[in-house]
Amino acid sequence: MAEGTSRGAVAAEVEELAAADTGARHPSGFAAKLLFGVALAWSLFQLWIASPLPFMLGFGVFNDTEARSIHLAFALFLAFTAYPALKRSPRDYIPLTDWALALLGAFSGAYLFIFQEEIADRVGAPILQDYVFGILGILILLEATRRALGPALVGVASVFLLYTYFGPYMPAIIAHKGNSIGEIINHQWITTEGVFGVALGVSASFVFLFVLFGSLLDKAGAGNYFIKVAFSLLGHLRGGPAKAAVVSSGMTGLISGSSIANVVTTGTFTIPLMKRVGFSAEKAGAVEVASSVNGQIMPPVMGAAAFLMTEFIGIPYFQVVTHAFVPAVISYIALIYIVHLEAVKLGMEGLPRAVAPKPWVQRILNFLLGVIVLSGLSLAVYYGIGWLRPALGGLANWVIALGILLAYLGLVRYCARYPELTPDDPNAPMVRLPEPGPTIKSGLHFLLPVVVLVWALMVEHLSPGLSAFYGALTLIFILVTQRPLFAWFRGKGDLAGEFRRGIQDLVEGLVAGARNMIGIGIATAAAGIIVGSVTQTGVGSMLAELVEYISGGQMLVILFLTAFLSLVLGMGLPTTANYIVVSALLAPVIVELGQQTGLIVPLIAVHLFVFYFGIMADVTPPVGLAAFAAAAVSRGDPIKTGFVAFFYSLRTAALPFLFIYNTDLLLIDVTWYQGVFIFVVATVAMLLFAAATQGWFITRCNPLEIVLLLLIAFTLFRPGFWMDLISPPYRELAPKEILQAAAQTPEDAPLRLRILGLDEVGDPREFVALLPLPAGADGEERLAAAGVTLRFEDGRVFVDDVTFASPAQKAGLDWDQEILEVLVPAPQPSKYLMYIPALALLGLIVWVQRRRAAAADAVARQPA
């Protein structure tokens, strides 16, 4: 009886934490039907505007502003009906005040849609009605944010609103002219610069469809399928359940963009199994947290922030995924290795296999055969579609759809030969693992919508929204038909009844997708207030000067400040809002400061840096919500779980610093064979880093070995650091040689100048300016074309004049600065030569540890 009560308490606590994403209120009667219907209508609306149907049929076409307005109206209505005002507020019915707020919020959110023509006729001249509903809208949005996401984001948004109004009274370095309440309301609510800006647009265009895709995929049974497959393949290894938890959480990351949802989905099954094989409650929860949080960095679906990157940076989503691939994969491989090391420390064994393993030779041959068949099939599909489009023209899409249908029917018929996968009781003893072959084959049809999504994104290069639409359309068809088709192929069941159950699954999946989106929709709208304040006040440039002054121009210092700010804000803000705030404030600062120190940092690297540390906030004690969700399942201490998870996640925290200084990790300007080489070396380096942080390699490491492993890992990650010390990459010329250097500088490379000037408060500072030089006959002509005039005095060179808005001004040059040095590229040996001493040192450590492990084993075998 006590055990049942305990399980019930765990379930209740997990459900309460999961309600952070979907809302804790579940009313009955008319209110339940209305809440259900509005959520369903929201999903149908998003599918409608994402589809080509409005343009084909000629009605129901919404522009971006209209779509954002309706999107926010749905989110506000559902926020007040699904989220109670206080912890003591009723959960089983909706009070009248919440009904009133829901209706007012929906009307305020839809204000731009309802009065679009009138607003268009009075652009820049709002009337009293605009101000009234703008003020109401902002206040209601802040209250909805408090209910759905907590007080932190409300506090940050309120601070920025107050800063916009009280600008003249701020400290001098961040002061501005100030804006009236009317100007603030117009900017934030009536235009698309604030609440209805890019962030909400991405939520309405892309994010909703991917969240809906995940909800539908989970409702179809893919979540349980991924868990079963992971356990069947990895459960027999040391710490097998923990390794399976890592892999299944990575696959579930395709479904869920929420760390908490990922923990709740997979953790209720994996955490009890990890505890059963010997992991402590805190370590079991920490493994689940570390793997679930990393689900957000796994391509091809990386959560809402990845889609925001495409808008903020202005690059296709395909490029974002490409750049994020290597860090994400090696981070997961390292986590599996960490789990292995923990299992070795504890002397664990794997669970019994379901079937005897085949010989290694046969397994390798089977794997190679599978790769060949899959590669051949992929090439056939790729070139087949490439041939169909010019051959059939407009009919090609119908032929492709027919091919997908036939593939689906064939997969379902094949899968029907194997038993249906039903969720297991995580508290029941697991005597044997499921058989890998039948387990994998029983759900192959779940991979079809993922293939459609990835194909549309990566091969067809469709927009993220349209790709997700086609993926969701495939899932809708699967949800409706899979039950009756399985019953038919298995020769049993009521086909009509199974079809009705499929329709029910579809409707529930659509509703679940909408409820999962409430928090994200509210977060992007509230974060729009912050972005709007930044654009209205110009605080971004002022903050750049302030941060540069605080950091003393040191790149590493500003990176640590950015990471710290992301972690602190992330303790109260969801990942999406955190990313929007920090990237809007600090991403341009890092790029600019990097240029001043001579380091060219691509914008995608900075945005991924902010994204990674925003995710890390879900782990970081004392407020890491994912750790609390895992502790609710494991019954461990949530703070200790968070600390252990943070320790496991050090590899994720180290990666952003590494790819800022070594952009090869992001596959920027590398060939495919260089990419393979970088992936292999980076994986080895990350495994060594994990071994050092765990204090265990072949055997337990002493302090010197830990330091040496960290040194080797750093060298593999960034060999150029040591090579630059041995052989500097730039040769220093006297300032008087600047004209000759300018004449010899290639057009695709900037001229590097070390400058002495003054900072914003009048103190002297040195920085490196990267000056692009247009083509010209000689150095003086090229410098003049770049907008700079020089003055030579007694062997010293000064900037005499800089043309407004010229490349020279953008590079940071200003009147009366002194040029201290001219830096020109110098011949340098290959940086990869540094791998030789690093690998030699690694070999020495392996030899020493093997000898020590053998000696310890010999002592252990001696009779007592």
Side-chain angles (χ1 to χ4, degrees), residues 271 275 278-287 630-631 633-637 641:
I271 290 175
K275 289 174 64 179
F279 281 88
S280 66
E282 286 77 17
K283 286 187 176 181
V287 169
V633 180
S634 70
R635 311 315 293 166
D637 178 73
T641 300

Side-chain angles (χ1 to χ4, degrees), residues 619-643:
V619 181
T620 310
V623 194
L625 294 179
F628 278 84
V633 180
S634 70
R635 311 315 293 166
D637 178 73
I639 301 298
K640 188 175 179 181
T641 300
F643 275 110

Side-chain angles (χ1 to χ4, degrees), residues 351-420:
L351 296 172
R353 290 178 181 266
V355 293
K358 296 178 180 178
W360 275 105
V361 175
Q362 186 174 351
R363 277 189 272 178
I364 293 173
L365 290 175
N366 289 343
F367 174 76
L368 292 175
L369 179 62
V371 170
I372 292 171
V373 171
L374 186 60
S375 301
L377 183 62
S378 301
L379 290 172
V381 172
Y382 179 79
Y383 287 106
I385 292 178
W387 173 80
L388 278 175
R389 292 199 184 281
L392 300 179
L395 291 175
N397 288 334
W398 292 104
V399 174
I400 293 169
L402 179 61
I404 294 173
L405 174 62
L406 293 175
Y408 168 64
L409 292 174
L411 285 173
V412 171
R413 182 174 182 180
Y414 181 74
C415 295
R417 302 176 186 176
Y418 302 95
E420 182 181 356

Side-chain angles (χ1 to χ4, degrees), residues 281-301:
E282 286 77 17
K283 286 187 176 181
V287 169
E288 181 59 44
V289 169
S291 54
S292 293
V293 167
N294 270 30
Q296 291 188 66
I297 66 174
M298 274 301 291
V301 182

Side-chain angles (χ1 to χ4, degrees), residues 34 43 73 202 210 275 309 347 376 383 496 582 655 689 735 825:
L34 183 63
S43 289
V202 171
F210 277 86
K275 289 174 64 179
M309 280 184 211
Y383 287 106
V582 181
L655 275 169
F689 178 83

Side-chain angles (χ1 to χ4, degrees), residues 112-134:
L112 263 65
F113 168 68
I114 297 171
F115 297 100
Q116 56 179 321
E117 293 183 4
E118 292 88 340
I119 292 173
D121 290 337
R122 55 173 186 266
V123 173
I127 61 175
L128 179 62
Q129 174 182 297
D130 298 337
Y131 293 138
V132 169
F133 282 102

